[in-house]
Amino acid sequence: MFKFIHSSDLHLGKPFGRFPEDVRVRLRQARAETLPRLASLAREHGAGHILLAGDTFDQTTPAPAVIRQALNRMREAEDVTWVVMPGNHDHANATELWRQVARDAPPNVVLLLQPEPFALNAETTLLPAPPTERHPGRDLTEWFDSAETADRLRIGLAHGSVTEFDNSEDGGSSVIAPDRARRAGLAYLGLGDWHGQLQIGPETWYSGAPEADGFKHSETPAALLVELPGKTAPARVTSLPTGVISWRRVMLELSDDPADRNDCTAAHEALLPSLPERASTLFDLVVSGRAKPLDRVALENAIAGAAPDFLWHRADLSALGLVHDTTDLDAIDRQGALRAAAEALAREAEDESLPPETRETAQAALSHLFSLALEA
């Protein structure tokens, strides 16, 4: 039995530039801490190797401290052998990056910078396909088919998009045949590039990133424990959760139909994660449909009340239309200039002959008027 952990796309040093500095610090820290978490999983499950299928670093020129700190964490897990292969973000022709890694790497770190067989142990050979540029545009695993490995167990490691899925995160580092494992007689083919965990075939898997870096993938970030009983027995693959930061994009659609009308605040509350989870959650709320102005104001207040609980919070109400009647406008004023202004805004908000941005501005102004009226 040969056991190992398969992971990829750690993207250490990713800047996360669109977030505030305190959030960026938490996100970068969480990514750095994936290394000791992977080592703990390897120990827990009796796996002696961790195979990283590319994009360990987010770029070809990470800060020297990012490289050194990653290697120090690997050094601390001295009972585990780390097998590191370049991806498309940290491709093999990033000479200075890999020169520094090779110079500072501890004995338990193996770099696979060339497409040549590497013996993991006396019975098992690893076939790597390291990208040499950002977008090679060809199948770098073709050489697996004819690689000489005697009678050993064969494992492949590659980074890129599978041709029939076209599932690259950013254009892909290479194009990989989905049946490569069968063609090359591999017991297992470990892939990187797609940040969500994905099975391509019985013995071909994307591990996914151990920490999410966006709202694209809904599944929990995880690594794979791979157990190979032998050349003729199928691989046993187990998903092991690794993520500590949650990225959640939530859709809230509201209706003004009396038969299907939402309680806006209750609908919002039902979508929120538990209070302890919020401090480690990036929450992106997208609201659509239609609501009465007073309901919208109540929803805005509920959103504002919950937002500070989260690591990061954004609410987009631009697709939420307003529906109102005289009773709603009475909450602002029954007559006079303020009432006249409210009626004018209400007409603009519903006038489909006006540009969308004009209607949105009118909706926002009317909503603000309702907020002021409720505060008075």
Side-chain angles (χ1 to χ4, degrees), residues 45-63:
H45 295 278
H49 293 75
I50 297 174
L51 309 187
L52 301 181
D55 286 357
T56 299
F57 300 100
D58 185 61
Q59 52 190 285
T60 56
T61 56

Side-chain angles (χ1 to χ4, degrees), residues 22-278:
D22 60 331
V23 177
R24 296 201 297 268
V25 169
R26 284 283 304 279
L27 293 174
R28 291 193 293 264
Q29 181 181 24
R31 304 194 82 74
E33 290 172 353
T34 57
L35 292 166
R37 288 202 296 276
L38 290 171
S40 294
L41 289 174
R43 294 189 196 98
E44 180 182 347
H45 295 278
H49 293 75
I50 297 174
L51 309 187
L52 301 181
D55 286 357
T56 299
F57 300 100
D58 185 61
Q59 52 190 285
T60 56
T61 56
V66 171
I67 301 172
R68 181 68 65 82
Q69 290 166 14
L71 294 173
N72 287 343
R73 285 180 166 92
M74 294 180 188
R75 187 191 310 274
E76 290 167 1
E78 59 184 359
D79 53 335
V80 174
T81 298
W82 300 83
V83 181
V84 181
M85 187 192 76
N88 63 324
H89 282 255
D90 56 3
H91 56 74
N93 278 341
T95 308
E96 180 56 28
L97 164 61
W98 296 112
R99 184 195 66 78
Q100 183 178 343
V101 173
R103 183 194 68 201
D104 296 342
N108 62 325
V109 172
V110 174
L111 302 183
L112 300 180
L113 305 181
Q114 300 296 328
E116 54 191 27
F118 175 78
L120 292 170
N121 61 21
E123 296 83 26
T124 310
T125 294
L126 181 64
L127 306 177
T132 54
E133 55 186 306
R134 185 68 179 261
H135 304 294
R138 58 189 178 87
D139 189 346
L140 301 177
T141 68
E142 285 182 346
W143 75 276
F144 291 1
D145 295 3
S146 57
E148 273 297 327
T149 59
D151 197 32
R152 296 182 174 190
L153 195 67
R154 293 158 65 94
I155 298 171
L157 200 64
H159 190 94
S161 59
V162 169
T163 52
E164 67 180 29
F165 290 93
D166 189 25
N167 58 2
S168 171
E169 292 290 327
D170 59 359
S173 63
S174 63
V175 180
I176 301 164
D179 61 346
R180 178 62 64 202
R182 180 189 59 78
R183 291 193 207 177
L186 304 178
Y188 183 79
L189 174 56
L191 300 177
D193 183 46
W194 186 244
H195 291 188
Q197 202 163 93
L198 181 64
Q199 182 177 13
I200 303 302
E203 60 287 293
T204 302
W205 284 77
Y206 284 98
S207 66
E211 272 293 339
D213 58 5
F215 297 102
K216 183 174 182 177
H217 302 287
S218 59
E219 62 269 24
T220 301
L224 294 172
L225 169 67
V226 183
E227 301 173 275
L228 301 178
K231 287 184 294 184
T232 58
R236 296 203 295 264
V237 181
T238 306
S239 180
L240 304 174
T242 53
V244 297
I245 302 293
S246 176
W247 297 63
R248 295 186 59 176
R249 174 168 287 148
V250 176
M251 307 297 177
L252 174 58
E253 184 172 3
L254 302 175
S255 172
D256 63 307
D257 186 339
D260 188 35
R261 187 175 170 192
N262 305 90
D263 180 331
C264 295
T265 55
H268 170 255
E269 181 68 27
L271 295 174
L272 299 178
S274 68
L275 198 57
E277 293 177 73
R278 298 180 195 179

